[in-house]
Amino acid sequence: IISGRIGKVKLNADDAYPFEVSENGIQLFANNENGIIYGFETLLQLLKADGNGYYFTNCRIEDEPRFPWRGLMIDVSRHFYPVNVIKRNIDAMLATKMNVLHLHLSEDQGFRIESKVFPKLHEKGSDGLYFTQNQMKEIIEYARLRGIRVVPEFDMPSHTTSWFLGYPKLSSLDTVYSVERTWGIQDPAMNPANEYTYQFLDKFIGEMAELFPDEYFHIGGDENNGIHWKKNKDIQKYMKENEIKDKHELQTKFNQRILKILIKYNKKMVGWDEILQPNMPNNIVIQSWRGKEAMIEAAKKGYNAILSNGYYIDLFWDTERHYLNDPIIKDANLNSDVEKNILGGEVTSWAEFTTVENVDSRIWPRTAAIAERFWSPKYVKDVDDMYRRLETVSFHLEELGLTHIKNREMGMRRLTNNEDVNSLRNLVNVVEPIENYTRHRRGEKKQYLQQSPLTRVVDISYSDAPIARKIRKATDEYIKKYSSETTEKSSLYFTNNPKQYLINELNKLSNNHKKLELIIANSPVSKEIKPLSENISKVAKIGLETIDHLESNKKFSQKKEQELLKILTDFKKPIAELEIRIVSAVEKLVMVASGE
C-alpha cells in the first residue's frame, strides 16, 4: 500500500518514508514520490535469497535524510564524459540516496554545453566534445525521474580560457587563446571592467537558466590570481576610479553584477569559498572547499552553506577518512539556527586523472560511504561495519552498470597482455596512488597533459586498496595479545584467526615478484613498477620473519629493530606514483617483536 502525491525535485523536499514488512505484505508510506523512490531503494537492499527463494525479513523502518543537499559534482570539462556515463552515475546516486548532480561544465580545458546564443563557445572551446541541449534535457529528465536535481556550474571570472577562443572580447588580456592542455591555476580571466562582459553573460545566463530548471546556478568564483587584471590598464583605471583596492573587492563587484542577472532569471547563486566577501548579500550559497572554517563562518553570518572540504575524492584518500568527516563539527558549538544553514555536502570528482574508462572507479564505491554520512544520523559511524556493507553495495552498483570493478580488470589484462593477471592483481591490492595533489606537481619533463593516456598501473589502482586495509586490520587484531591494552570490540573480519590471514597474504606477496617480473619483462608500460614489486616482496618477507619471531617468543635486538625500521621507511617512498600500503602494518609487527 503506497500513499503519497507527486513530488517536486527541489531543495527541502520531504524524503521520509516509513514502511513495514510483515507476513501480510509490505506497506510503504511517503508524503510524495521522492520518499517512495527511496523506500523502494531500501527494499532492494533488504531483499535476500536462499534455497527456498527470495524473501524479505519482517521489519519496520522509519527513515529520513539528515541533510537536504546530498550532492556529487562531476567535472566534465577537464575530461569529457558522454551521456551514458552520466546516466549510470545518476543511477548510482539514486541507489545511495543522493539528490544533487552538480555538473562542472566550463573550464580552461573545455566548454561542454551547446549554446545557441553564442555557438562559438562550444564550437571553438570544446574539441567537439560537448552536450547538445537536447542531450542535456535528456540528462535532466533522467535525473528528475530519480529525484535528483541537476545544478550547472559555469566557472567565472577565472578558469575561463575556453570561453575566449570564440569570444576574446570577454577576456582581460588582448592575446590569442587556445584550449589549455595542462592543469593548475591559469592567468586568464573575464574582464570585469567592460560592460560587454555583463551584456554577454546576461544573454548566456538567460539561455542556460531556461535549459536548467533547478533554482540554483553555480558561478564557481574560485582561484582567481588577478594576474591578467593587473596587466590590463583599463581594469587598473576602473579600480582607481571606483576606489577598489584589490582583486577581492573587484571580484565582489563582479559577483554582485552576476547576482543581479541571476535574480532576474529567478536563480539563486552558488559559488566556492571565494565568493564569501564583505558586501555580498546572504541570499547566496557558499560551497566550502578550502576548510570547514569558511563554511562555519558563512553559516554564522546567515548564509546557506555546503561542505566539500574532506569529500574531494580525487585526493586518493581512503574511505574511512571521508566517512568520518561530518558536515557538522562536534566542537563548533553551533546553535540549531546556524546548523540549519548547513544544507549538507557534495562529493567532488575533479577530472585531471579520470577518463571514461576509470571515472567510475574513482567515484565509487567510496562515494556510497559519503552518501551515508549525508543521509544517516551522526552516530552512525562504525568503520568496520561500513566497510563490510560497502562490499555488498559495490556489487549492487555493478549490477546497475557501473564499471568500477570490470574496467579495473580490463586494465590489468591490457597491462599484462592478458597473461598472468593474478600477479598484477596481487600488487594492485596493496598499493595506492600518492595522496593529495602530488601527481600534479611532478617535474616539467613528466608534466601531465589533457591528452596524456591514463593507462598506467597507477590509473587502475584503488584509492583504498582492499587487501592492504585488511592486512593492517589483521595486524591490529593479531598484536592485541602482545599488548596490555584490551578492547571490547573485535574486528568483523578476523575474529577467528588473524595470524593465519596475515601469513597467507604475506606468503602470497613474498612470492609474487618472481611471477610478476616475467610479465613486466614484456610490458613496456609496466617496467616502472618492477622496483615497487621487489619492495613489496621484501616487506612481506620482513613481516613473515617477524611473525616467526613472535610465535617463537623471540625478540629482535635494538640494533635489528632499527635496521628493519630503516629498511621499511625506505619502502615508503613512492615508485611509479604508487605507495605500498602494508608497510605500516609490518612496522607495528617489528616494534612488537622488539618488546615495544
Side-chain angles (χ1 to χ4, degrees):
I1 300 173
I2 301 173
S3 64
R5 58 181 181 270
I6 296 175
K8 292 184 178 180
V9 181
K10 63 177 185 177
L11 184 67
N12 290 316
D14 186 352
D15 295 335
Y17 64 93
F19 72 75
E20 184 173 1
V21 179
S22 69
E23 59 273 15
N24 297 320
I26 298 172
Q27 290 185 316
L28 169 61
F29 300 94
N31 288 326
N32 60 50
E33 289 176 336
N34 301 326
I36 293 171
I37 290 171
Y38 294 135
F40 280 143
E41 287 300 322
T42 296
L43 279 171
L44 285 172
Q45 294 173 18
L46 295 174
L47 183 62
K48 298 179 180 179
D50 60 19
N52 296 317
Y54 295 94
Y55 66 95
F56 294 101
T57 301
N58 287 356
C59 64
R60 177 170 177 78
I61 291 178
E62 294 187 12
D63 197 14
E64 63 181 345
R66 184 174 168 215
F67 295 104
W69 194 300
R70 307 179 300 279
L72 168 63
M73 189 285 297
I74 299 181
D75 172 10
V76 296
S77 297
R78 289 174 175 85
H79 282 110
F80 181 72
Y81 313 123
V83 172
N84 67 312
V85 175
I86 303 302
K87 281 186 173 181
R88 69 187 186 223
N89 277 275
I90 288 173
D91 289 336
M93 290 176 67
L94 171 58
T96 53
K97 301 184 176 71
M98 302 181 84
N99 66 349
V100 181
L101 173 62
H102 167 178
L103 291 176
H104 186 79
L105 289 165
S106 68
E107 189 49 77
D108 294 306
Q109 293 79 14
F111 194 95
R112 305 301 186 189
I113 186 73
E114 175 191 19
S115 172
K116 295 179 180 179
V117 177
F118 298 108
K120 291 180 183 178
L121 286 171
H122 66 272
E123 289 172 356
K124 293 194 172 184
S126 72
D127 295 315
L129 300 171
Y130 62 90
F131 298 110
T132 66
Q133 292 198 11
N134 284 337
Q135 287 175 324
M136 186 53 66
K137 289 175 182 176
E138 182 183 344
I139 288 170
I140 292 168
E141 178 64 8
Y142 192 85
R144 186 192 69 81
L145 292 172
R146 288 153 181 80
I148 294 170
R149 300 161 41 215
V150 178
V151 175
E153 179 187 354
F154 296 97
D155 212 342
M156 57 183 82
S158 294
H159 291 284
T160 45
T161 303
S162 62
W163 298 61
F164 305 151
L165 277 75
Y167 300 92
K169 194 176 176 181
L170 278 172
S171 68
S172 297
L173 205 63
D174 184 13
T175 186
V176 177
Y177 290 92
S178 59
V179 172
E180 183 58 55
R181 303 303 181 186
T182 60
W183 311 130
I185 299 173
Q186 310 295 333
D187 298 339
M190 291 180 176
N191 187 339
N194 189 343
E195 278 301 310
Y196 170 82
T197 300
Y198 304 106
Q199 294 166 3
F200 182 100
L201 290 175
D202 188 318
K203 293 178 182 178
F204 174 77
I205 289 173
E207 179 187 19
M208 292 300 118
E210 187 174 344
L211 176 61
F212 291 92
D214 195 77
E215 60 182 326
Y216 290 89
F217 195 102
H218 205 301
I219 66 155
D222 60 320
E223 297 182 327
N224 174 29
N225 62 22
I227 289 176
H228 278 196
W229 286 359
K230 286 182 179 180
K231 293 181 178 180
N232 185 309
K233 293 180 180 179
D234 291 335
I235 293 176
Q236 292 303 305
K237 180 182 177 183
Y238 174 85
M239 292 176 69
K240 187 175 181 179
E241 290 175 348
N242 290 276
E243 298 181 347
I244 298 172
K245 67 181 180 181
D246 58 26
K247 68 174 185 177
H248 301 295
E249 285 193 4
L250 181 56
Q251 187 163 337
T252 298
K253 290 280 187 184
F254 174 85
N255 289 341
Q256 289 170 341
R257 293 287 301 271
I258 301 305
L259 180 58
K260 288 181 180 178
I261 295 171
L262 290 173
I263 292 172
K264 173 183 174 181
Y265 294 109
N266 298 312
K267 297 296 182 182
K268 296 178 181 179
M269 178 186 286
V270 188
W272 302 103
D273 287 345
E274 288 90 333
I275 73 167
L276 181 60
Q277 296 290 337
N279 302 319
M280 284 299 289
N282 63 4
N283 60 344
I284 62 176
V285 179
I286 308 300
Q287 185 164 2
S288 176
W289 71 275
R290 292 182 296 185
K292 289 186 177 180
E293 295 78 12
M295 181 192 69
I296 292 171
E297 179 189 354
K300 285 182 175 178
K301 290 180 177 178
Y303 294 88
N304 284 155
I306 307 161
L307 181 66
S308 282
N309 179 266
Y311 303 129
Y312 269 52
I313 52 176
D314 59 316
L315 293 174
F316 300 114
W317 292 357
D318 60 40
T319 312
E320 176 180 355
R321 188 170 176 183
H322 293 302
Y323 182 67
L324 296 178
N325 180 54
D326 197 280
I328 306 294
I329 301 174
K330 182 179 180 182
D331 300 321
N333 297 319
L334 306 179
N335 62 46
S336 58
D337 290 334
V338 173
E339 284 195 4
K340 286 179 182 177
N341 288 331
I342 299 173
L343 301 178
E346 271 193 7
V347 178
T348 47
S349 176
W350 299 106
E352 286 91 340
F353 296 104
T354 58
T355 63
V356 169
E357 184 176 304
N358 73 352
V359 62
D360 292 359
S361 69
R362 290 301 177 229
I363 298 176
W364 307 100
R366 285 181 300 156
T367 291
I370 305 173
E372 179 169 286
R373 178 57 51 237
F374 296 158
W375 180 281
S376 297
K378 189 173 185 176
Y379 62 78
V380 178
K381 55 183 180 180
D382 186 318
V383 172
D384 283 348
D385 191 53
M386 176 273 291
Y387 275 119
R388 177 188 64 80
R389 291 180 288 111
L390 195 63
E391 290 185 6
T392 301
V393 171
S394 182
F395 164 70
H396 288 319
L397 289 173
E398 188 179 40
E399 288 185 305
L400 295 175
L402 274 291
T403 63
H404 60 297
I405 297 174
K406 68 179 184 180
N407 276 11
R408 178 173 286 113
E409 293 291 317
M410 179 184 71
M412 287 191 284
R413 288 192 294 273
R414 180 174 58 225
L415 286 163
T416 62
N417 196 26
N418 204 27
E419 296 293 334
D420 179 16
V421 176
N422 287 330
S423 58
L424 180 57
R425 186 184 297 114
N426 290 337
L427 179 142
V428 168
N429 280 337
V430 294
V431 298
E432 293 173 10
I434 46 181
E435 289 187 348
N436 302 320
Y437 289 129
T438 318
R439 286 189 75 183
H440 298 66
R441 304 186 182 108
R442 306 196 309 164
E444 284 191 16
K445 290 183 179 179
K446 296 182 178 179
Q447 186 177 36
Y448 280 101
L449 301 175
Q450 188 181 33
Q451 305 95 325
S452 296
L454 300 176
T455 54
R456 298 161 57 214
V457 176
V458 66
D459 298 306
I460 62 165
S461 59
Y462 293 92
S463 298
D464 194 352
I467 300 301
R469 174 173 48 80
K470 291 181 180 180
I471 286 174
R472 295 193 301 270
K473 190 68 181 177
T475 299
D476 290 341
E477 289 292 307
Y478 172 61
I479 63 178
K480 281 179 182 177
K481 66 179 181 179
Y482 298 100
S483 171
S484 58
E485 299 178 7
T486 57
T487 57
E488 294 181 3
K489 188 174 181 182
S490 296
S491 163
L492 293 169
Y493 294 117
F494 309 109
T495 50
N496 293 328
N497 199 335
K499 180 188 78 174
Q500 194 56 53
Y501 179 85
L502 282 174
I503 290 173
N504 291 345
E505 290 299 327
L506 293 175
N507 266 320
K508 184 193 303 179
L509 293 171
S510 69
N511 297 319
N512 194 64
H513 178 63
K514 291 181 180 178
K515 301 173 185 176
L516 186 54
E517 190 175 24
L518 300 174
I519 301 299
I520 292 172
N522 295 309
S523 175
V525 71
S526 300
K527 291 187 185 300
E528 62 178 351
I529 66 165
K530 182 177 179 180
L532 184 74
S533 177
E534 291 176 317
N535 289 351
I536 291 171
S537 177
K538 292 173 183 176
V539 171
K541 286 173 181 175
I542 292 173
L544 290 168
E545 177 190 356
T546 306
I547 292 173
D548 185 59
H549 267 67
L550 286 168
E551 293 300 310
S552 303
N553 293 318
K554 297 178 183 178
K555 285 187 177 181
F556 288 137
S557 66
Q558 187 177 13
K559 181 180 178 182
K560 178 71 170 178
E561 178 196 23
Q562 291 176 349
E563 176 188 313
L564 291 176
L565 290 179
K566 183 180 183 304
I567 293 171
L568 291 170
T569 298
D570 288 340
F571 290 153
K572 290 182 179 180
K573 296 175 183 176
I575 296 173
E577 299 176 2
L578 291 162
E579 295 178 311
I580 304 171
R581 296 290 282 120
I582 62 169
V583 176
S584 61
V586 177
E587 282 179 327
K588 286 183 180 180
L589 291 171
V590 169
M591 287 188 285
V592 171
S594 304
E596 295 186 34

